[in-house]
Amino acid sequence: MSLNAAAGLSGMLKAGHTHQEGVDGATLRNIEAAKSLSTIVRTSMGPNGMNKLVVNHLEKMIVTSDCATIVKELEIEHPAAKMLQLAAEMQDQECGDATNLT
């Protein structure tokens, strides 16, 4: 494999990659993280909300439709998604049962 050092960053990455810098790139990554978190809990909300089987890092199985519980059991690394996780936990502590991250 040859590396074209003169090409810079685009020479090191695969064809079709996207590179984002600055505030615009960070904003887009934060929006993507929030959207991916919402797709996880989307089917648990509403009158036809389904239960989810969550297996945590200790291999404990939890069956729930409570979005706060689902989000609490996720291992989240992204800072914006982590803020949403903390908001769900705080809302669950303040309001109690069935808050559903709304």
Side-chain angles (χ1 to χ4, degrees):
M1 181 177 149
S2 65
L3 175 66
N4 185 358
L9 182 64
S10 61
M12 292 185 278
L13 300 175
K14 291 183 180 180
H17 76 282
T18 58
H19 178 72
Q20 301 166 344
E21 290 183 1
V23 177
D24 293 335
T27 303
L28 289 176
R29 286 189 299 273
N30 290 344
I31 291 170
E32 288 173 4
K35 280 184 177 181
S36 64
L37 191 59
S38 71
T39 58
I40 293 171
V41 298
R42 179 180 298 150
T43 57
S44 298
M45 301 182 93
N48 296 327
M50 295 184 289
N51 288 334
K52 292 202 181 281
L53 177 67
V54 180
V55 180
N56 66 4
H57 65 283
L58 299 174
E59 297 186 9
K60 179 181 175 186
M61 291 191 290
I62 302 167
V63 178
T64 183
S65 65
D66 183 29
C67 295
T69 304
I70 295 168
V71 171
K72 182 174 68 173
E73 293 297 326
L74 294 174
E75 296 177 6
I76 298 176
E77 294 181 8
H78 193 278
K82 188 72 168 175
M83 291 290 288
L84 290 173
Q85 181 186 34
L86 293 174
E89 289 179 16
M90 291 297 118
Q91 185 177 5
D92 192 35
Q93 287 179 3
E94 287 289 323
C95 301
D97 191 31
T99 53
N100 276 338
L101 190 64
T102 56

